[in-house]
Amino acid sequence: MSQTRFQFDEESDSAAAVRRLAVPAPAGHYDELLGPDRGLRPAWRTFFGNLGTAGLSDLHRRESLLKRQVHEHGVTYNVYSDEHGPPRRWSLDLLPFIVEPQDWKIIEAAVVQRAAVLSAVMRDVYGPMHLVREGLLPPALVQGSPGFLRSLHGVEPPGGIFLHVVAFDLARGPDGRWWVLGHRTQAPSGLGYALENRLIVSRLFGENFSAMRVQRLAKSFRRLLQTLVQHAPRDAGEAGGAPRIVLLTPGRYNETYFEHAYLSHYLGVPLVEGGDLTVRDDRLFLKTLHGLERVHAVIRRLDDVFCDPLELRPDSALGVPGLIHAMRCGNVLVANALGAAFLESPAIHGFLPAIARRLLDQELVLPPRDSWWCGEAAARERAFATLRTARVRATYRRFGLEPRIAARGTGLLKLAEVREEIERQPDLFTIQSYLPYSKAPCWSGHALVPRSAVLRVFAIADGKGGWHAMPGGLTRIADRQDEVSMQRGGSSADMWVITGEEVDRFTMLPDRLRVDEVVFRRRIVTSRAAENLFWLGRYTERTDNTVRAAQLILTTLRGSASLPAAVLEAIGGTGVALGLVPPGVPLTAIGPRVFERTLLAGLRDEGAASVAFDLAGLAGTAAQIRDRLAFEHWHQITATVERFTAALAHASASESALPIDDSLAAMSALVAGIGAITGAQTDGMTRDDGWRLLMIGRQIERLISMGEVLQAFFEGRAVLHEAGFDLVLSLFNSTITYRSRYQEQREIAALIDLVVLESANPRSLACAVGIIDRELGELCEATQQQFEWKEAARFERPRELLLVELCARDPEDRFERLQALTRTLIASAKSLSSHIGLRYFSHSEPLRSQIV
């Protein structure tokens, strides 16, 4: 008998081993693993039978693989993350939640029916309002809800479909019956995490996945896309082309941002934020480097009130001004349609049985828990009789009232206090009966422990008035029932739906790509992505320049007993120009120690113009385009920032000021990390238009930084001193190149030629100008826009003539020609940055304008 795959009875060694590892569910809860006689339930008997006795001991290895894959895939879930809080690693249990065929038939029928009911309710509420007029829905519950949008009453979405995806939360009660706990209709989350869970867990148990005939998920996503493509509105001239669909995300600080990026990849649609979109001529457009491109459909992951600051929440920076107007005009499909938030209220549940009879002439397949909306006096009195065990919930989530069990005991509200609070504002409260959730087996590393489980199952509109239940979904688990939420620290599990029929082998990948599809398929570079790539280049270069300068300045001040006043003044000017110290700090000739301490303090100060600020900018812009970066590139950025921050924190733990030696060591590690990041940008990114902007951003920053260095050292003629001369070479990272050519000679002409005119020197001004000119030309050609930058012409004359001019001094012994050039280049680089922003990022500049 094989140990890797066999069926076993209840007396086998494997069954006994599983039962020894399994902790039974507490009394009053359904046990998903063990039956009343403590025998394994059929599906789990098959699952563990395929593993065999050796497979049980192999669970430790599989769990390690699972954790590594979650880490490598970068799966995160932010617990109300802020910009300073690190994203939390996604929590996934090793074992799946198994749904047997007889259970799935009930769940499928209930989910399809519920989706049809909710869709009909929304169509009625935003149309004839028969349900309100007939008393099946209280007017105050609908029109008093913050989720009901009056501005959309009478607006029918394209295809007449209000809801495209609805999520239902279900749990099994003590008697084995399934109950619907709630539903999400605005922007249901979980689809992407369900896919990621399936990808990881199915590979860990590949033989079981195939042998148990687990149904697959891909066809449900294809159905969603087909519905959007079928009903997306198009103008007459666009009828033959494919509509453009985008996925709208609130941004990287949203708790489910990973899922948004994951879904956009899987569905093959651009991931966009509100700032990427604009409404022009009653239509929605996507801002791209190639101009404005029409958007026909939006899969939104943004709650209603944030979607349009013109007509909804005016302080929202996440939405698109004018989106509702474009919807009213019938020019864009939004899935789900705005205004669905009122359906998420738990108060709706108590009215659904009668509504289902009225609209569908059907009884609900799965009844809801007893629910009483306290806004009705009669219902409130009936609900008060159940307060000892009932669950008190907020009618409208917008008010932020947390659900709680109302019962006597330590730490819980007394019944009289609950009643008093409800009676003050009764419409804000809904009371639901308490349901003990079933307990699913979870691997804890040494035992199978029971945890409360809630299933999230998705219904997807088929575009023809019907609904489809995705055969799988997201299972959320937790030790305690009131913690079955990812926000409260819960975990997740893959959901395996066992089919008694043929497994659907459909995949989202097309069978074959035509040659023309291969040649012309290019990834869209949105204006927001382009802007972040541009600033990623600038912050990378700026961090490299500032940390090298800080390292060099500290080393120079520490190693020289006396420096010429001109050199000290140049060091001070460089520190201010590069943001290492704020203006007004005593110059090094007057107070070198004050300058030194200020520079050290600035390493960790995230105020504007500091190494810490530049690092934060680097990490922030990278996070905005996380979906465009290879995992190694992203990991290098986060690891570099974390190492530098941790090193400074450790160095300052016992000191009021940072020790110089520890600071220099931290900066050396940072320089190495930035070098790796630069290498990833140079060699590991596709040379598309976004990459060109990244490189242009780096060279603009290099022009500005290096120009400021030359200004500081040539203005007071510090470069004429040996120490000043060597500092300029070091700041331009050109010491070895210079020594290999000129040994110990210190010639101003040779220095100017190397750091200003030598195009083969990657740190020279001429090289930076040449790269900008080349990449800008490629960008202009690709975007079909006239956009010229004339600074390259300054270096097109013979080097000998230019060198003679730049070495010339005026009667006051100043290098006026050189300083004039650096001033012009700095100003031109800043101007170029502004014009790029106007042209490609904000689209505020006329398309045919030129920069001269």
Side-chain angles (χ1 to χ4, degrees):
M1 184 178 288
S2 171
Q3 284 190 333
T4 57
R5 182 181 179 186
F6 64 92
Q7 300 291 328
F8 61 95
D9 58 37
E10 293 302 323
E11 301 302 320
S12 71
D13 290 341
S14 295
V18 173
R19 292 203 307 273
R20 283 195 302 271
L21 290 173
V23 179
H29 295 266
Y30 185 91
D31 195 323
E32 298 284 349
L33 175 66
L34 303 174
D37 59 352
R38 289 218 62 206
L40 296 183
R41 297 192 185 275
W44 285 109
R45 190 183 312 140
T46 303
F47 182 87
F48 286 112
N50 287 342
L51 295 181
T53 305
L56 296 177
S57 59
D58 194 43
L59 292 181
H60 296 284
R61 181 188 66 84
R62 297 182 200 234
E63 185 177 41
S64 297
L65 287 174
L66 180 144
K67 291 180 179 178
R68 189 175 75 185
Q69 288 186 47
V70 169
H71 173 73
E72 289 178 351
H73 294 186
V75 192
T76 58
Y77 181 89
N78 302 341
V79 181
Y80 295 118
S81 173
D82 58 38
E83 58 186 288
H84 302 292
R88 170 189 158 195
R89 191 70 61 195
W90 179 247
S91 181
L92 173 61
D93 195 74
L94 178 64
L95 300 180
F97 186 99
I98 301 177
V99 180
E100 298 198 58
Q102 63 273 21
D103 285 321
W104 178 247
K105 286 182 180 178
I106 297 172
I107 292 173
E108 181 180 30
V111 163
V112 167
Q113 182 192 53
R114 286 290 185 109
V117 171
L118 293 176
S119 181
V121 170
M122 191 161 176
R123 184 179 297 108
D124 177 80
V125 165
Y126 283 97
M129 278 201 166
H130 292 311
L131 296 176
V132 173
R133 291 192 178 96
E134 295 173 15
L136 294 173
L137 272 178
L141 181 59
V142 176
Q143 296 175 335
S145 169
F148 175 71
L149 304 183
R150 291 173 176 78
S151 58
L152 285 174
H153 189 267
V155 176
E156 182 167 324
I161 301 176
F162 287 85
L163 301 177
H164 296 79
V165 180
V166 183
F168 294 91
D169 291 335
L170 299 95
R172 198 199 297 263
D175 59 356
R177 295 175 62 196
W178 291 96
W179 296 80
V180 177
L181 306 180
H183 42 252
R184 292 287 176 263
T185 53
Q186 286 192 85
S189 64
L191 280 171
Y193 289 116
L195 277 172
E196 181 66 16
N197 287 357
R198 173 60 56 84
L199 177 66
I200 295 174
V201 175
S202 63
R203 288 178 176 175
L204 293 174
F205 298 101
E207 186 175 3
N208 244 329
F209 186 80
S210 298
M212 295 181 71
R213 302 179 73 178
V214 180
Q215 194 57 277
R216 304 193 178 190
L217 309 177
K219 200 165 187 177
S220 300
F221 292 90
R222 181 58 177 265
R223 181 174 278 105
L224 172 61
L225 284 179
Q226 287 175 337
T227 299
L228 297 179
V229 169
Q230 177 184 348
H231 295 289
R234 277 164 280 187
D235 295 335
E238 302 174 311
R244 182 174 304 288
I245 304 170
V246 300
L247 194 151
L248 176 62
T249 173
R252 67 186 180 99
Y253 297 130
N254 184 264
E255 62 267 23
T256 57
Y257 180 70
F258 167 83
E259 176 180 63
H260 306 170
Y262 187 90
L263 276 177
S264 75
H265 278 298
Y266 186 75
L267 298 175
V269 300
L271 181 68
V272 303
E273 295 183 18
D276 294 323
L277 303 172
T278 184
V279 174
R280 307 276 178 92
D281 297 327
D282 306 331
R283 289 166 173 76
L284 187 65
F285 291 89
L286 175 65
K287 302 173 187 176
T288 77
L289 288 184
H290 292 253
L292 299 179
E293 298 190 9
R294 172 82 184 277
V295 173
H296 305 86
V298 177
I299 304 171
R300 69 177 175 100
R301 294 307 311 274
L302 193 60
D303 284 351
D304 288 349
V305 294
F306 297 104
C307 286
D308 187 343
L310 288 184
E311 300 198 39
L312 299 174
R313 184 166 170 167
D315 62 341
S316 171
L318 305 175
V320 185
L323 178 62
I324 287 182
H325 179 68
M327 292 174 61
R328 266 197 219 100
C329 295
N331 291 328
V332 63
L333 184 157
V334 177
N336 288 338
L338 300 185
F342 82 95
L343 289 173
E344 296 184 350
S345 170
I348 294 290
H349 290 246
F351 301 95
L352 287 182
I355 291 174
R357 288 191 291 269
R358 166 66 175 81
L359 297 179
L360 304 183
D361 195 22
Q362 298 175 3
E363 296 293 333
L364 291 179
V365 175
L366 290 181
R369 286 184 293 173
D370 291 334
S371 300
W372 300 276
W373 178 50
C374 295
E376 292 186 321
R380 184 164 67 250
E381 290 306 317
R382 290 196 300 270
F384 282 163
T386 70
L387 272 182
R388 188 174 299 278
T389 58
R391 190 176 182 86
V392 180
R393 305 191 62 188
T395 300
Y396 313 119
R397 285 195 302 157
R398 176 175 173 179
F399 287 90
L401 300 172
E402 289 295 327
R404 55 187 176 274
I405 298 296
R408 299 186 187 277
T410 304
L412 299 177
L413 293 177
K414 295 180 180 179
L415 298 183
E417 294 175 351
V418 172
R419 290 189 59 140
E420 182 181 352
E421 185 176 353
I422 292 174
E423 286 173 344
R424 279 199 299 266
Q425 290 182 297
D427 59 318
L428 300 188
F429 294 90
T430 297
I431 297 176
Q432 292 185 317
S433 59
Y434 174 68
L435 176 70
Y437 301 164
S438 69
K439 299 287 185 176
C442 298
W443 179 246
S444 68
H446 62 279
L448 293 167
V449 298
R451 291 182 177 172
S452 298
V454 172
L455 310 188
R456 176 159 287 188
V457 181
F458 299 89
I460 297 174
D462 63 6
K464 303 174 183 177
W467 289 87
H468 161 82
M470 188 176 80
L474 179 68
T475 302
R476 292 170 294 163
I477 55 178
D479 290 329
R480 297 173 54 189
Q481 180 164 319
D482 58 355
E483 294 175 348
V484 183
S485 165
M486 304 307 294
Q487 284 289 352
R488 295 189 178 95
S491 186
S492 71
D494 189 16
M495 185 194 304
W496 286 14
V497 172
I498 309 302
T499 178
E501 305 170 356
E502 191 68 26
V503 174
D504 193 334
R505 302 290 177 181
F506 176 80
T507 173
M508 285 289 287
L509 295 175
D511 294 333
R512 296 181 64 86
L513 287 174
R514 301 191 308 272
V515 173
D516 61 327
E517 291 179 316
V518 174
V519 172
F520 293 106
R521 182 170 291 190
R522 295 291 183 268
R523 187 177 188 181
I524 291 176
V525 183
T526 66
S527 295
R528 177 182 57 85
E531 183 174 16
N532 281 292
L533 285 165
F534 177 75
W535 280 99
L536 179 65
R538 291 200 64 172
Y539 278 122
T540 302
E541 183 68 24
R542 186 181 299 177
T543 303
D544 189 34
N545 291 334
T546 54
V547 75
R548 286 178 184 274
Q551 197 176 19
L552 184 60
I553 288 172
L554 288 174
T555 303
T556 301
L557 293 177
R558 191 181 190 193
S560 301
S562 61
L563 289 171
V567 175
L568 291 173
E569 293 290 343
I571 290 174
T574 299
V576 172
L578 297 184
L580 295 171
V581 295
V585 174
L587 296 178
T588 51
I590 302 172
R593 295 299 165 250
V594 174
F595 183 90
E596 184 180 278
R597 288 195 299 271
T598 305
L599 191 153
L600 286 171
L603 294 178
R604 54 184 175 180
D605 180 7
E606 290 194 4
S610 67
V611 173
F613 177 85
D614 296 338
L615 266 182
L618 170 60
T621 52
Q624 292 279 8
I625 49 172
R626 172 66 184 86
D627 59 314
R628 297 186 63 91
L629 302 180
F631 176 77
E632 293 78 10
H633 190 179
W634 168 249
H635 178 70
Q636 187 63 54
I637 292 173
T638 56
T640 298
V641 174
E642 289 170 3
R643 281 195 299 265
F644 183 71
T645 304
L648 293 187
H650 177 74
S652 63
S654 58
E655 301 281 347
S656 59
L658 288 174
I660 291 181
D661 289 336
D662 291 342
S663 300
L664 289 173
M667 284 188 280
S668 294
L670 178 56
V671 168
I674 294 297
I677 294 170
T678 300
Q681 294 172 358
T682 304
D683 300 326
M685 296 182 70
T686 304
R687 262 70 168 166
D688 61 5
D689 297 337
W691 179 85
R692 292 189 181 97
L693 279 167
L694 184 148
M695 296 306 295
I696 291 170
R698 282 185 56 189
Q699 299 307 318
I700 283 177
E701 194 61 45
R702 184 168 295 182
L703 265 185
I704 294 172
S705 299
M706 296 299 96
E708 297 283 9
V709 167
L710 290 179
Q711 284 283 306
F713 277 85
F714 275 86
E715 185 175 5
R717 297 182 296 282
V719 71
L720 299 178
H721 299 275
E722 179 179 328
F725 192 99
D726 292 343
L727 276 170
V728 171
L729 283 175
S730 298
L731 288 167
F732 274 80
N733 201 23
S734 300
T735 301
I736 294 177
T737 304
Y738 186 90
R739 299 297 182 215
S740 67
R741 293 184 184 181
Y742 306 109
Q743 288 77 44
E744 293 300 319
Q745 292 177 287
R746 290 182 174 82
E747 297 290 342
I748 292 297
L751 176 67
I752 293 175
D753 181 64
L754 181 62
V755 301
V756 178
L757 302 177
E758 177 59 81
S759 58
N761 178 14
R763 291 279 174 174
S764 75
L765 302 186
C767 183
V769 168
I771 293 174
I772 291 173
D773 188 56
R774 182 183 70 240
E775 299 302 335
L776 195 59
E778 293 283 345
L779 184 65
C780 292
E781 182 178 351
T783 57
Q784 298 180 344
Q785 295 191 35
Q786 282 189 324
F787 197 124
E788 300 177 8
W789 191 52
K790 300 296 187 181
E791 294 307 324
R794 299 180 182 275
F795 297 97
E796 289 175 358
R797 298 169 59 199
R799 268 172 65 180
E800 295 83 354
L801 295 179
L802 287 172
L803 184 58
V804 170
E805 288 184 11
L806 297 178
C807 291
R809 306 188 202 183
D810 63 14
E812 297 181 7
D813 206 27
R814 294 179 303 185
F815 295 87
E816 183 53 39
R817 295 288 181 86
L818 175 64
Q819 289 183 277
L821 174 63
T822 55
R823 284 194 299 270
T824 300
L825 288 176
I826 292 170
S828 297
K830 292 178 178 178
S831 175
L832 176 61
S833 178
S834 298
H835 281 86
I836 286 175
L838 291 172
R839 177 72 58 82
Y840 292 117
F841 308 152
S842 65
H843 297 266
S844 299
E845 194 174 74
L847 293 180
R848 308 304 298 177
S849 65
Q850 298 183 22
I851 296 176
V852 296

